[in-house]
């Protein structure tokens, strides 16, 4: 903010604030002798502020190096947010320093869910819990407990269920229960039975069958940190025997089966009805788990998944992927392996790795071609700049014509889309619309020649039986045959259908209500095409038919919006055409300025080093800042997210909004969760060790922090990043502007303008560059703050504030574009005049307002030229690169080299177009300065001399015009010719009179004749 003092008025810099000063010889804005040579240091205090900001950045970075840990930004995280390979984890998490791989273990709850439901909800369990038998009382004594059990198992219709459980069938006898559940659980607990687990004929086929499991495989797996990707209870970390643990499953406290499960498990030993079930619970549902050394979690999270192997996605990545074990894949056959491959497992990973390796190999084999093509890309760019001096007129006017065509084609396409029928292709709809236009044109021409006037009305939703118009062509443009003379469908004659109006060859829909079983949907005719017997028609002038089978765009509102958009696009096309006609002279000036810029770049190729150095500086600074910022981002406070327990997922995560775009009802408004109520948001995980709430409800849901957080230190670091990046861009703009201006006014067109620019900018104007880049960075920073606040409002489910901040972002974005544009032109003025930034920005602003149409024409044409330049350089590089690769390395696939060539050519095109675009803008400033001063015409590039008049020439022209207007009869023939040929000077131009008067000057100094501007 301290740089604001640099904008105070200085002595001699702005004698009258707010005054629109023009370029004048001897005035404050004087370029009559070329660029201002006597300069002084501008905005010096801003250099001090800039240095202080850098020192502050270093201090903040050093503090971050002490407290931050960038590995938290990319290290793997387990299901609860703990980092793999880190000793101290957040919220008392496990020590995973010796467990760097994020692998998978069995999610026991999901894996045994089907078997557990089948057992607990079976007739045997129901008898033990609810009904009792053989004189034995049921375990659930209270009627409410029995009702809860029946509802939990969906054995009766209740609010928690929409249907009965389908878990493999009922178990009506203890023998069935023991045999079935034991068989199902054996496939999960015994690794030797893993092959049958994934078989479509196994005991768990409904859950783990090949056609079921792989579509939702991650549901049955937990992400945990392990020493290696694949671990088993048979061997530990170093291949030695592992002290495995055992785990007996029981549902979590908030699971719906927990109540019934615990009632059976804790049943008295005297209960004969519960005995077989309890026996199965204690034996069949017991798993072997990895040791604490191998898996630093509760034993329920450390059970290996049988039949699945895990491997590193990439060496050293720490992330693991899963695949079928070899013995299981052989056992279940190719179908299972193929199913897994389609889901992107290890085989896909291997394929990707292999493909990437091939790409690297292709690039290494074609490195020589890459070097050659990279050099040639620069040659192509330079050739484009040189050729632009000769072909820019053709390019500009061609682009203007293409733009007009694009407007009308886009409008036509939008209009056709608005009426496109369902099941009809866009091309076919377009052809129908074109034929409809032709038919309407023929009818209008026939009416103009005195032909009959037809009534084309037809019921909108009718079948066309009432149509009596004069349409003679089908919707695809085929001519119709005369109903009376045609022989292709002899039953359709005027005599047979005398009430259908079968006149001449006009389209009709003839049918008889009593005799005809079928009738057409709308009017039609018999065609003269031997391959098309008949086809439907559209009434003359009807471009969009009524679609009886519906529209491609189903919503009527969207169809109306598309139709309105088509007319808006056409209107813009007409406005564009009118603008081009009105701005024709300014377009010619723009063409000349582009030629000047092309000549400058061609004569000073060293100026291309400026954007190259900018790019290298931007890359180095961005990498350094990212490294420093990673330490700040990784410092997530210990209490960033709550450490407590929550009863439901919704309470922890929140609920999304179900409101429509314009709804504001409290019922549909989302609620923020305890873990996600601010941005960056944490996430939710379920703890197996639940706590009990005040009312006895289980609390199992907990919060995990995000990987990164944003605090004031990060904000300060980010602002310095924006400031330095803007400073880098501004420095390049100033250097190119000074070089272009020095070359523009140079009497000898010195090739050392780049060196002069570097010396002048670094010697005198670093403070002004710092001030201008500070203003741009400040506006950008405000935009990002608004985005941060928008994300915070979204986390709080405040839809109103989200909309407000989005609107403010759009406004600031527009203002940012304005500030960047003014800053760029201010740098040009500073390079030309040597004034401070604020004075230069004021001069640039008033110069733009005095020449709005010229700057507008330059902006529009500049975009066209840059697009043409990009296409030419990229296409030329790709074509030549392909030919070189084919000639030098015929055996190598050209895909990878062409991708590399495309990247290089885009970078080269950006370099050339950046320099070229700024050279054009600077040339426009120089031209306007010369024009306003009326002197210096002899020093401007030749191509622009025809557009510039000296002050004495203007005075002569005005005198001749005034004299001719007062006494045309006594004026000389030349004067009378000039008076008749030219427009008054208030129109802003000169005509052929001045051309004739200036011929002596041209003969004297060899300069081109002036032209009308």
């Amino acid at each position: 903010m301290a740089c604001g003092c640099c904008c105070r008025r200085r002595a001699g810099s702005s004698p009258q604030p707010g005054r629109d000063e023009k370029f004048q010889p001897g005035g404050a804005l004087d370029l009559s002798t070329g660029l201002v040579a006597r300069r002084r240091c501008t905005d010096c205090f801003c250099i001090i502020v800039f240095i202080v900001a850098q020192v502050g950045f270093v201090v903040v970075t050093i503090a971050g190096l002490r407290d931050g840990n960038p590995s938290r930004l990319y290290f793997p995280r387990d299901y609860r947010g703990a980092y793999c390979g880190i000793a101290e984890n957040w919220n008392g998490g496990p020590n995973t320093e010796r467990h760097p791989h994020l692998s998978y273990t069995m999610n026991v709850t999901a894996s045994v869910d089907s078997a557990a439901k089948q057992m607990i909800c079976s007739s045997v369990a129901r008898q033990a819990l609810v009904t009792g038998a053989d004189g034995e009382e049921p375990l659930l004594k209270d009627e409410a407990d029995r009702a809860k059990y029946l509802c939990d198992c969906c054995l009766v219709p209740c609010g928690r269920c929409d249907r009965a459980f389908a878990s493999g069938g009922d178990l009506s006898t203890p023998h069935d229960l023991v045999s079935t559940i034991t068989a199902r659980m054996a496939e999960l607990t015994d690794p030797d039975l893993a092959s049958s687990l994934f078989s479509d004929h196994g005991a768990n086929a409904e859950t783990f069958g090949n056609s079921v499991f792989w579509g939702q495989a991650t549901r049955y797996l937990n992400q945990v940190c392990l020493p290696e990707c694949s671990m088993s209870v048979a061997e530990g970390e170093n291949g030695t025997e592992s002290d495995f643990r055992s785990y007996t499953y029981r549902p979590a406290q908030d699971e719906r089966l927990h109540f019934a499960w615990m009632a059976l498990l804790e049943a008295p030993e005297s209960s004969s009805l519960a005995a077989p079930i309890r026996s199965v619970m204690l034996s069949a549902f017991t798993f072997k788990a990895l040791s604490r050394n191998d898996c630093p979690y509760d034993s329920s999270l450390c059970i290996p998944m049988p039949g699945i192997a895990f491997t590193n996605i990439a060496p050293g990545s720490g992330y693991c992927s899963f695949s079928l074990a070899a013995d299981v894949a052989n056992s279940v056959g190719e179908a299972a392996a193929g199913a897994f491959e389609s889901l992107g497992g290890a085989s896909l990973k291997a394929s990707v790795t292999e493909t990437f390796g091939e790409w690297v190999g292709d690039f290494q084999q074609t490195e020589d071609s890459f070097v050659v093509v990279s050099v040639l890309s620069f040659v192509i760019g330079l050739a484009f700049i040189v050729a632009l001096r000769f072909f820019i007129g053709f390019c500009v006017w061609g682009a203007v014509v293409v733009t007009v065509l694009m407007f009308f084609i886009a409008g036509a396409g939008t209009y056709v889309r608005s009426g496109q029928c369902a099941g009809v292709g866009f091309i076919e709809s377009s052809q129908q619309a074109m034929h409809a236009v032709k038919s309407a044109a023929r009818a209008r021409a026939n009416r103009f020649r005195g032909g009959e006037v037809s009534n084309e009305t037809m019921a909108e939703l009718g079948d066309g039986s009432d149509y009596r118009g004069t349409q003679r062509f089908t919707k695809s443009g085929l001519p119709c045959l005369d109903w009376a003379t045609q022989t292709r469908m002899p039953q359709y004659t005027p005599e047979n259908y005398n009430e259908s109006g079968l006149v001449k060859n006009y389209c009709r829909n003839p049918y008889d209500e009593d005799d005809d079983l079928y009738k057409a949907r709308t009017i039609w005719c018999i065609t003269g095409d031997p391959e098309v017997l008949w086809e439907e028609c559209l009434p003359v002038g009807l471009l969009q038919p009524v679609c009886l089978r519906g529209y491609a765009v189903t919503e009527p509102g969207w169809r109306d919006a598309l139709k309105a958009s088509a007319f808006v696009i056409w209107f813009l096309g007409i406005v564009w055409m009118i603008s081009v006609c009105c701005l024709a002279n300014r377009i010619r000036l723009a063409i000349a300025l582009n030629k000047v810029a092309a000549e400058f770049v061609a004569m000073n190729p060293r100026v291309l080093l400026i954007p190259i150095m900018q790019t290298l500086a931007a890359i180095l600074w961005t990498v350094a800042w990212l490294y420093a910022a990673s330490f700040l981002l990784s410092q997530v406070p210990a209490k960033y997210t709550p450490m407590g327990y929550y009863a439901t997922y919704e309470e922890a995560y929140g609920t999304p909004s179900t409101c429509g775009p314009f709804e504001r009802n409290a019922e549909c408004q989302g609620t923020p969760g305890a873990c996600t109520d601010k941005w960056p948001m944490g996430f939710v995980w379920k703890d197996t060790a639940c706590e009990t709430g005040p009312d006895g409800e289980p609390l199992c849901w907990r919060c995990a922090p995000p990987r990164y957080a944003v605090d004031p230190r990060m904000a300060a670091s980010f602002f310095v990043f924006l400031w330095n990046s803007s400073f880098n861009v501004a420095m390049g703009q100033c250097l190119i502007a000074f070089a272009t201006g020095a070359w523009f006014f140079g009497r000898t067109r010195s090739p050392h303008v780049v060196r002069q620019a570097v010396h002048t900018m670094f010697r005198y104007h670093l403070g002004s560059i710092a001030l201008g880049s500070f203003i741009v960075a400040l506006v950008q920073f405000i935009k990002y703050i608004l985005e941060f606040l928008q994300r915070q409002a979204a986390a709080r489910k405040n839809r109103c504030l989200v909309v407000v901040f989005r609107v403010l972002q759009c406004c600031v974005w527009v203002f940012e574009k304005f500030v960047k544009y003014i800053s760029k032109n201010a740098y040009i003025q500073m390079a030309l005049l040597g004034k401070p930034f604020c004075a230069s920005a004021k001069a640039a602003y008033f110069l733009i307002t005095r020449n709005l149409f010229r700057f507008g024409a330059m902006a529009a044409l500049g975009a066209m030229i840059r697009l043409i330049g990009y296409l030419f350089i990229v296409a030329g590089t790709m074509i030549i690169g392909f030919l070189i690769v084919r000639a030098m390395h015929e055996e190598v696939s050209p895909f990878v080299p062409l991708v590399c060539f495309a990247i290089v050519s885009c970078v080269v095109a950006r370099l050339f177009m950046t320099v070229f675009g700024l050279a054009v803008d600077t040339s426009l400033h120089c031209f306007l300065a010369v024009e306003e001063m009326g002197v210096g015409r002899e020093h401007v590039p030749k191509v622009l001399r025809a557009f510039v008049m000296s002050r004495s020439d203007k005075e002569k022209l005005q005198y001749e015009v005034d004299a001719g207007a007062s006494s045309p009869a006594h004026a000389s023939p030349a004067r009378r010719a000039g008076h008749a040929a030219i427009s008054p000077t208030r129109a802003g131009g000169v005509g052929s009179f001045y051309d004739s008067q200036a011929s002596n000057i041209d003969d004297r100094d060899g300069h081109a004749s002036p032209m009308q501007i």
Side-chain angles (χ1 to χ4, degrees):
M1 304 297 179
C3 281
C5 65
C6 300
C7 288
R8 68 181 186 274
R9 185 168 63 89
R10 300 174 182 269
S13 64
S14 182
Q16 296 185 17
R19 178 185 172 190
D20 182 2
E21 294 187 84
K22 295 185 177 181
F23 288 94
Q24 299 180 35
L29 308 180
D30 181 15
L31 292 176
S32 56
T33 58
L35 268 63
V36 173
R38 299 182 60 184
R39 297 175 182 250
R40 62 177 181 177
C41 295
T42 57
D43 300 317
C44 300
F45 185 73
C46 291
I47 299 178
I48 300 175
V49 178
F50 185 73
I51 294 174
V52 169
Q54 309 308 311
V55 173
F57 171 77
V58 172
V59 172
V60 170
T61 300
I62 292 175
L65 292 175
R66 181 187 61 191
D67 302 327
N69 185 359
S71 61
R72 295 180 182 271
L73 300 177
Y74 58 88
F75 268 26
R77 301 180 75 186
D78 65 10
Y79 75 101
R80 59 184 293 173
Y83 294 91
C84 299
I86 292 181
E88 295 183 5
N89 270 295
W90 179 87
N91 202 11
N95 181 351
T96 61
E97 186 174 12
R98 296 172 52 250
H99 307 80
H101 294 86
L102 182 65
S103 190
Y104 299 87
T105 57
M106 179 192 294
N107 183 336
V108 179
T109 300
S111 299
V112 307
D113 180 69
S114 177
K117 285 179 179 178
Q118 185 181 22
M119 182 179 69
I120 296 298
C121 300
S122 65
S123 295
V124 177
R126 181 174 182 177
Q127 191 178 50
L129 292 169
V130 177
T131 62
D134 299 332
E136 187 175 322
E137 292 292 327
L139 297 177
L140 301 179
K141 309 298 183 183
D142 188 69
E143 184 65 31
D145 291 340
R146 291 196 289 267
K148 182 180 185 304
Y149 163 75
L150 295 175
C151 183
D152 287 343
C153 281
C154 296
L155 295 173
V156 294
C158 67
R160 299 188 64 178
C161 309
D162 59 356
R163 55 172 295 179
F165 286 148
S167 302
D170 186 26
L171 305 174
S172 56
T173 67
H175 178 269
D176 292 340
L177 184 145
V178 173
S179 59
T180 302
I181 300 303
T182 301
R184 295 190 66 174
M185 293 306 301
E187 294 180 347
L188 291 169
T189 58
D190 188 353
D192 295 335
L193 299 178
S195 58
S196 62
L197 175 64
F198 298 105
S199 171
D200 287 335
H201 305 289
N204 293 281
E206 293 184 1
T207 304
F208 293 94
N210 174 49
S211 59
V212 179
F213 175 76
W214 297 111
Q216 48 185 351
T218 54
R219 175 190 173 194
Y220 302 97
L221 300 171
N222 292 316
Q223 286 188 312
V224 295
C225 301
L226 298 177
E228 301 293 339
C229 282
S230 192
M231 300 288 295
S232 67
V233 295
E235 62 178 26
E237 179 183 357
N238 300 314
T240 60
E241 283 295 322
S242 172
D243 297 328
F244 65 84
R245 295 173 284 172
S246 63
Y247 167 71
T248 301
Y249 169 77
R250 63 178 59 183
Q253 295 181 32
D254 63 339
E255 293 288 338
R256 62 196 305 178
L257 298 182
H258 177 267
F259 170 71
W261 186 283
M262 296 308 296
L264 291 167
L265 186 62
E266 297 173 356
E269 294 185 2
S270 59
S271 176
S272 60
L273 296 177
I277 304 176
R278 185 172 60 250
S279 174
V280 172
M281 287 180 176
L282 296 175
S283 58
F285 285 85
T286 298
F287 297 83
K288 288 183 178 181
L290 297 172
S291 67
R292 175 71 64 174
N293 290 334
D294 294 333
C295 184
Y297 303 91
D298 183 81
S299 58
S300 63
L301 299 168
C302 297
I303 301 170
M305 187 71 183
I308 299 182
F310 302 94
T311 55
N312 262 329
I313 291 179
S317 68
Y319 290 90
C320 305
S321 65
F322 49 89
S323 63
L324 281 176
D327 55 340
V328 178
N330 294 332
S331 180
V332 301
E334 297 180 358
F340 180 75
E341 290 174 4
S342 67
L343 296 170
S347 54
L348 176 60
K349 180 209 71 174
S351 175
V352 171
T353 305
E354 181 180 358
T355 302
F356 181 77
E358 292 177 354
W359 290 351
V360 174
D362 289 345
F363 177 77
Q364 291 176 341
Q365 293 184 56
T366 58
E367 285 179 343
D368 50 354
S369 303
F370 178 78
V371 174
V372 173
V373 174
S374 298
V375 174
L376 289 179
S377 184
F378 274 89
V379 176
I380 293 171
L382 193 60
F384 171 77
I385 296 297
V386 173
L388 200 60
R389 300 165 57 188
F390 306 100
F391 299 105
I392 189 172
F394 172 79
C395 293
V396 169
W397 292 113
V400 169
V401 173
V402 170
T403 304
V404 173
L405 292 178
M406 288 176 61
F407 272 113
F408 285 94
I409 292 174
T414 305
Y415 185 83
V416 170
R417 179 62 177 172
S418 68
Q420 182 181 348
C421 296
V424 180
F426 180 80
I427 301 299
E428 184 179 352
S429 298
S430 303
Q431 292 174 344
Q432 292 178 7
M434 292 175 59
H435 293 307
V437 172
K438 291 180 181 178
S439 297
R442 293 192 194 100
R444 182 61 59 89
N446 181 58
R447 185 180 304 174
F448 180 77
R449 290 194 298 266
E452 60 181 315
V453 178
S454 62
N455 182 7
E456 298 294 327
T457 59
M458 186 174 75
E460 183 176 353
L461 298 178
D463 56 12
S465 59
D466 60 334
Y467 177 73
R468 294 298 181 267
T470 59
Q471 178 61 274
R472 297 179 292 111
F473 294 88
T474 68
K475 61 183 181 182
S476 63
L478 298 177
C480 299
L481 298 179
D482 194 302
W483 295 100
T485 59
Q486 61 86 20
T487 57
R488 303 188 69 184
M489 301 179 72
Q491 70 272 29
Y492 289 102
T493 62
E495 291 78 14
N496 294 339
Y497 295 91
N498 54 6
E499 296 182 358
S500 297
L502 301 186
V503 180
K504 298 183 179 179
N505 61 340
Y506 300 148
C507 296
R508 297 289 187 265
N509 187 11
Y511 64 87
D512 191 313
E513 289 281 2
D514 299 328
D515 298 334
D516 291 340
L517 296 177
Y518 305 100
K519 61 180 180 181
R521 296 178 302 176
T522 185
I523 57 176
W524 58 280
C525 75
I526 303 168
T527 75
D529 191 324
E531 296 184 1
V532 180
L533 180 60
W534 68 275
E535 188 179 16
E536 293 179 345
C537 307
L538 298 176
V540 175
L542 181 63
L543 300 182
Q544 293 184 339
V546 177
C547 299
L548 301 178
R549 298 181 180 178
Y551 292 86
V553 180
T554 56
E555 292 293 332
W558 284 111
R559 293 200 299 271
D560 294 339
L562 286 172
K563 186 176 294 186
S565 300
F567 287 102
V568 170
I569 294 173
W570 283 328
F571 174 76
L572 293 177
I574 294 174
V575 171
W576 173 258
M577 292 177 60
I578 296 174
S579 301
V580 169
C581 295
C582 296
L583 300 175
N585 290 330
R586 291 175 175 82
I587 293 176
R588 295 189 186 97
L589 172 61
I591 292 174
L593 289 170
N594 278 273
K595 289 182 179 180
V596 170
E599 182 180 357
F600 163 73
V601 177
M603 293 182 63
N604 298 275
R606 277 183 287 185
V607 75
L608 297 172
L609 293 174
I610 296 175
I612 293 176
M613 298 304 296
Q614 277 184 280
T615 302
L616 293 176
I619 293 174
L620 293 175
W621 163 239
T622 302
V623 171
W625 180 82
L626 288 175
Y627 178 76
S630 64
F631 287 88
L632 299 176
L633 286 171
S634 62
Q635 297 179 39
V636 182
K639 297 183 179 181
Y640 185 87
T641 52
M643 299 184 180
Y645 292 74
Y646 299 93
T648 63
Y649 176 83
E650 289 75 17
E651 184 181 354
Y653 186 80
T655 58
S657 171
T658 58
C659 297
F662 303 102
E663 289 185 85
R664 293 293 181 268
N665 299 328
E667 293 78 11
C668 63
Q669 193 76 20
T671 57
C675 306
T676 60
D677 60 346
K678 55 180 169 290
W679 187 88
M681 293 189 297
F683 63 92
V684 179
W685 60 283
K686 188 175 182 180
D687 198 342
T688 55
C690 302
E691 288 191 352
T692 302
D695 299 328
E697 75 278 12
L699 306 178
C700 303
W701 297 97
R702 304 186 67 184
C703 303
R707 285 184 177 271
Y708 61 92
V710 179
D711 59 11
R713 296 177 302 168
M714 182 61 207
S717 175
F718 184 62
F719 178 78
V720 175
F721 169 77
L722 294 175
W723 192 357
N724 287 355
S725 300
S726 298
F727 185 89
N728 182 41
V729 173
M731 177 59 73
Q733 291 175 336
C734 289
L735 293 175
I736 296 173
F738 185 94
T740 305
W743 177 86
F744 187 98
F745 289 107
R747 297 175 181 271
T748 58
R749 303 284 182 256
S750 171
H752 304 296
V753 291
V754 176
R755 185 173 61 187
Q756 297 172 10
V758 173
H759 173 266
T760 303
M761 290 299 110
F762 279 88
R763 172 66 179 82
Y764 297 105
H765 300 301
L766 281 180
S768 296
I769 295 174
L771 174 57
S773 57
F774 172 84
I775 296 173
V776 173
L778 181 61
V779 176
Q780 291 176 328
F781 188 66
I782 294 173
K783 180 184 68 174
Y784 287 113
I785 287 179
L786 291 173
E787 182 177 355
F788 175 80
L789 295 176
Q790 175 205 324
R791 292 177 180 269
Q792 294 289 5
R796 297 295 303 172
K797 303 295 190 294
N798 192 327
R799 301 171 70 237
C800 181
L801 278 181
V802 169
V803 173
V804 170
F805 286 129
R806 283 179 177 172
V807 172
L808 290 176
Q809 284 182 73
C810 292
C811 296
V812 175
W813 177 81
V814 173
F815 184 66
E816 177 193 357
K817 296 298 181 184
F818 171 78
V819 170
K820 284 184 175 180
Y821 186 74
I822 292 297
S823 298
K824 180 184 70 173
N825 288 278
Y827 295 141
I828 295 175
Q829 289 291 306
M830 184 177 67
L832 299 179
L833 299 168
K835 292 184 176 295
F837 177 80
C838 292
S840 301
K842 170 192 164 185
Y845 173 78
F846 284 121
L847 182 66
I848 294 171
T849 55
R850 293 196 302 269
N851 300 272
L852 280 177
F853 290 110
R854 285 174 170 173
F855 277 92
M858 287 300 304
L861 293 178
M864 295 181 188
I865 298 301
R866 285 193 294 272
L867 177 60
I868 294 172
Y870 272 99
L871 295 177
F872 183 89
I873 295 174
V874 172
T877 302
M878 296 281 284
I879 293 173
I880 292 179
F882 176 79
L883 296 176
I884 291 177
V885 170
R886 290 285 86 185
M888 299 177 65
H889 304 280
E890 187 175 357
E891 74 285 356
V892 177
S893 170
F895 173 74
V896 174
L898 287 178
V899 171
C900 297
F901 298 159
I903 296 174
V904 170
S905 60
C906 287
V907 173
V908 171
R910 180 176 178 81
L911 296 178
F912 274 93
M913 291 301 103
T914 298
V915 174
F916 176 76
L918 201 59
V920 171
D921 293 334
T922 306
S923 299
L924 176 59
H925 280 247
C926 296
F927 166 78
L928 295 175
V930 173
E931 183 185 56
E932 290 185 355
M933 291 185 302
V935 297
R937 173 179 179 272
E938 65 276 9
H939 302 311
V940 302
K942 293 182 179 179
V943 70
L944 280 178
R945 291 177 187 171
F947 291 88
V948 181
M949 292 186 300
S950 67
R951 183 176 296 273
S952 59
D953 293 336
K954 289 182 179 179
E955 294 174 352
K956 288 180 182 179
L957 176 61
Q958 186 64 45
Y959 171 79
E960 295 291 348
V961 171
D962 294 341
S966 61
S967 180
H970 298 86
S972 65
R975 288 182 185 174
R976 290 196 298 270
H979 176 70
I982 66 173
S983 301
T985 56
R986 64 176 178 270
V990 291
S992 58
F993 170 76
Y994 178 68
D995 294 346
S996 63
Q997 296 299 312
S999 59
N1000 294 332
I1001 299 176
D1002 298 336
D1003 293 340
R1004 189 169 57 250
D1005 58 13
H1007 297 158
S1009 300
M1011 295 172 58
Q1012 182 177 353
I1013 300 174

